[in-house]
Amino acid sequence: MYPGVWAQSKPHHPAVIMAGSGEQLSYGELDARSNQLAHHLRSVGLVRGDHIALFMENQIRYMEVAWAALRSGIYVTAINSFLSAPEVGYIVNDCEAKVFVTSRARAEVATAVMANGPERVKSWLMVDGTADEFQSYEEIVGAHPSTKIDDESTGSIMLYSSGTTGQPKGVLRALPEIAVDEGDPRGAALFSTYSYGPDMVYLSPAPMYHAAPLVFSLYVHRAGGTLVIMEKFDAAAALRYIEQYKVTHSQWVPTMFVRMLKLGDDRPDVDLSSHRVAIHAAAPCPVEVKRQMIDWWGPILYEYYAGTEGVGSTLILSEEWLTKPGSVGRVSQGTIHIVDPLGNDLPPNEIGAVYFGGNAEFVYHNAPEKTAESRLAGGRATLGDVGYVDDDGYLFLTDRKAFMIISGGVNIYPQEIEDCLVLHPSVADVAVFGIPDDEMGEAVKAAVQLADGVPATPDTERELLAFVRAEIAHYKVPRSIDFHDELPRLPTGKLYKRYLRDAYWKKAEN
């Protein structure tokens, strides 16, 4: 199913509600507006297999842009709305976007992207106003008919998942060979597992550019339910919205749980009885945090382990988790393999690299070497995590991808930050890694060896942080910098980063 079907049977039913403002988009409106944008995509020459880029904050127009692409056989790349202009520009160029849709709220970055002139972009659209040479989204969409395009076909999403080099790569799959109004077999498990249906009200508190919020929200519309999007996450507000909108389903990252649990006396007294399914993933959830959430909300927590690449997944329900605390569940898609450094499968309870078999259908766009690195013989592919499977088939993760930092459920890759900091004339050497943080899970820490004669002072720290903040997205900027006389490097020149990182984690354990 897709919005066009529900527009016929219940045109006035709310498809999207913005939680804070209460602004709504009905299924009839979602269908009409996505049709209009689909006509515009065809009018500027886009055909099946082309790409568009979507760079917006959470707002009412988000899903109609996505659905316009998905009913036109087009890939949509949703871009992190907090990225800097160079970061956005790289993705727009790499995904070969031919249409760029943004909002007035992101005009400063968007106009800088336009100024650098990605050659393939044929149409620059801005919602809620215009800036520079952007065209008004509303005027462009309004000029087209609200009927279906003649050659509807199913599109897909292509989101970017950063690698250990810090350079993001698009996760590309072949377009589905199904009609837009056919049921997607890949969504069948989601419908049955999480009881998706036309009466559901789904609260999405996270940014829509992330894979999970976007994919799960698209399936809400396939199911004919109502999607409630928070403009930005606020712990107390999220709880109030569950009562206000009679939310039945929701999705979270562990940091959100932590913030809600820490509300204390500020926790609103609300009725959560409508809440039937609370899905969470994106980062390891501390055992005690999850235990407290189950005590509070009841056994409605569903945890899964998966990635943008879609190589496989696991699932664990609350009742199971209470008997296997810390596990991310048993395999629900694909087959699971724990692999030693030589690529041999390991027996239960032995730690190794986590691979899945049977679903290695993706490639990293324009990065065949990275695609190859993710594969082993027999169709096994990995997200880069380390763990073990117990005797009952439950997966436990024991480490993260290399030194990737997961802060508030968001992946941050140190190399990009290191590459930025080392360009500062005061920096001789640098290492960036994650350190324990009670609220965010991990915080970004930089260890810096200063150039000769540069004082290790608070002013120097502020100068370096300001330098980074001007170059990359603010959420990647280190919380603080520690200065070292010399960073530990091996004779080969390789940085022994684990030595630095482990000192902070051991200190936190003591």
Side-chain angles (χ1 to χ4, degrees):
M1 308 292 273
Y2 80 133
V5 174
W6 301 111
Q8 299 301 312
S9 61
K10 50 178 187 179
H12 303 297
H13 189 80
V16 182
I17 302 175
M18 297 307 298
S21 68
E23 187 178 7
Q24 296 191 18
L25 191 71
S26 70
Y27 270 101
E29 292 167 330
L30 174 60
D31 182 55
R33 293 181 67 88
S34 60
N35 276 330
Q36 289 175 303
L37 181 54
H39 278 286
H40 174 67
L41 299 180
R42 288 290 188 263
S43 75
V44 294
L46 272 70
V47 297
R48 180 172 170 83
D50 281 336
H51 296 247
I52 69 170
L54 174 56
F55 177 61
M56 288 198 299
E57 72 284 4
N58 283 7
Q59 63 139 282
I60 197 72
R61 303 272 81 90
Y62 211 102
M63 299 305 291
E64 68 189 44
V65 176
W67 275 113
L70 296 179
R71 69 193 306 165
S72 305
I74 288 170
Y75 289 99
V76 58
T77 293
I79 302 175
N80 185 329
S81 60
F82 294 101
L83 294 183
S84 66
E87 293 167 323
V88 175
Y90 167 81
I91 294 174
V92 173
N93 275 313
D94 190 70
C95 77
E96 303 171 24
K98 293 185 177 179
V99 172
F100 181 85
V101 184
T102 188
S103 68
R104 190 67 182 81
R106 293 292 178 267
E108 182 177 354
V109 171
T111 53
V113 172
M114 176 189 270
N116 289 323
E119 295 180 358
R120 294 181 180 86
V121 178
K122 300 179 178 181
S123 179
W124 299 84
L125 304 179
M126 184 172 286
V127 172
D128 298 334
T130 58
D132 289 353
E133 298 179 26
F134 276 88
Q135 292 180 292
S136 166
Y137 173 91
E138 289 79 6
E139 290 182 9
I140 291 295
V141 167
H144 290 283
S146 60
T147 53
K148 298 178 183 179
I149 59 175
D150 294 333
D151 58 341
E152 277 196 329
S153 66
T154 301
S156 188
I157 61 174
M158 187 179 87
L159 304 185
Y160 274 67
S161 178
S162 294
T164 55
T165 64
Q167 197 71 283
K169 295 299 177 186
V171 178
L172 180 65
R173 295 187 191 85
L175 290 175
E177 294 294 339
I178 57 174
V180 293
D181 56 354
E182 282 186 48
D184 185 345
R186 293 176 297 183
L190 185 147
F191 275 59
S192 61
T193 300
Y194 302 115
S195 302
Y196 267 42
D199 65 337
M200 71 183 297
V201 180
Y202 176 91
L203 179 66
S204 184
M208 295 303 295
Y209 56 74
H210 282 310
L214 182 56
V215 170
F216 277 73
S217 294
L218 289 169
Y219 278 104
V220 171
H221 288 156
R222 288 193 177 278
T226 296
L227 170 63
V228 180
I229 302 175
M230 290 183 67
E231 287 84 349
K232 62 179 181 179
F233 176 72
D234 175 271
L239 293 168
R240 289 194 295 269
Y241 294 146
I242 293 175
E243 178 184 63
Q244 178 181 347
Y245 295 108
K246 294 181 171 54
V247 167
T248 60
H249 294 64
S250 60
Q251 188 170 45
W252 315 85
V253 297
T255 296
M256 296 174 179
F257 289 160
V258 171
R259 292 184 180 180
M260 288 188 287
L261 288 168
K262 286 186 175 181
L263 285 171
D265 294 339
D266 294 326
R267 182 186 296 180
D269 182 15
V270 292
D271 179 6
L272 305 180
S273 59
S274 65
H275 202 193
R276 305 195 302 261
V277 176
I279 304 161
H280 75 99
C285 188
V287 170
E288 188 54 34
V289 168
K290 183 161 180 176
R291 198 185 306 277
Q292 289 181 44
M293 289 303 301
I294 294 174
D295 288 343
W296 179 13
W297 285 1
I300 68 169
L301 270 65
Y302 291 64
E303 181 175 7
Y304 70 89
Y305 166 64
T308 306
E309 292 81 353
V311 298
S313 62
T314 66
L315 175 71
I316 190 165
L317 310 186
S318 295
E319 293 88 345
E320 293 177 280
W321 185 89
L322 290 170
T323 68
K324 299 280 187 178
S327 173
V328 294
R330 289 189 287 191
V331 67
S332 57
Q333 182 185 34
T335 57
I336 197 164
H337 302 265
I338 306 299
V339 176
D340 70 14
L342 298 178
N344 302 309
D345 284 358
L346 293 169
N349 302 305
E350 290 198 26
I351 295 174
V354 180
Y355 278 75
F356 288 93
N359 288 285
E361 300 172 353
F362 76 97
V363 296
Y364 289 111
H365 185 56
N366 293 333
E369 73 291 341
K370 186 176 180 183
T371 302
E373 289 172 2
S374 72
R375 303 286 205 272
L376 285 178
R380 295 171 293 174
T382 185
L383 300 173
D385 292 311
V386 175
Y388 67 93
V389 173
D390 72 5
D391 292 321
D392 299 317
Y394 285 87
L395 175 64
F396 292 78
L397 300 176
T398 59
D399 208 343
R400 314 271 179 85
K401 302 174 185 178
F403 288 98
M404 182 184 75
I405 301 163
I406 303 181
S407 183
V410 177
N411 295 351
I412 300 173
Y413 292 86
Q415 184 69 51
E416 180 184 14
I417 308 166
E418 292 167 350
D419 289 350
C420 176
L421 258 175
V422 80
L423 294 176
H424 194 284
S426 297
V427 175
D429 202 359
V430 60
V432 174
F433 43 89
I435 63 173
D437 184 272
D438 290 340
E439 182 178 18
M440 303 298 287
E442 288 184 290
V444 181
K445 166 69 75 172
V448 168
Q449 178 183 330
L450 292 168
D452 291 343
V454 178
T457 64
D459 284 343
T460 301
E461 181 184 22
R462 284 191 288 270
E463 178 185 347
L464 296 180
L465 293 177
F467 177 78
V468 178
R469 192 173 291 112
E471 298 296 324
I472 65 175
H474 289 192
Y475 71 87
K476 302 177 187 177
V477 176
R479 292 276 190 91
S480 59
I481 296 174
D482 286 350
F483 296 115
H484 296 252
D485 292 335
E486 187 177 1
L487 297 187
R489 287 191 178 271
L490 301 176
T492 59
K494 182 179 180 181
L495 179 66
Y496 192 34
K497 191 185 294 186
R498 184 176 295 277
Y499 177 85
L500 292 165
R501 180 182 182 274
D502 286 355
Y504 292 92
W505 288 85
K506 288 176 181 177
K507 183 178 180 181
E509 293 170 359
N510 295 333

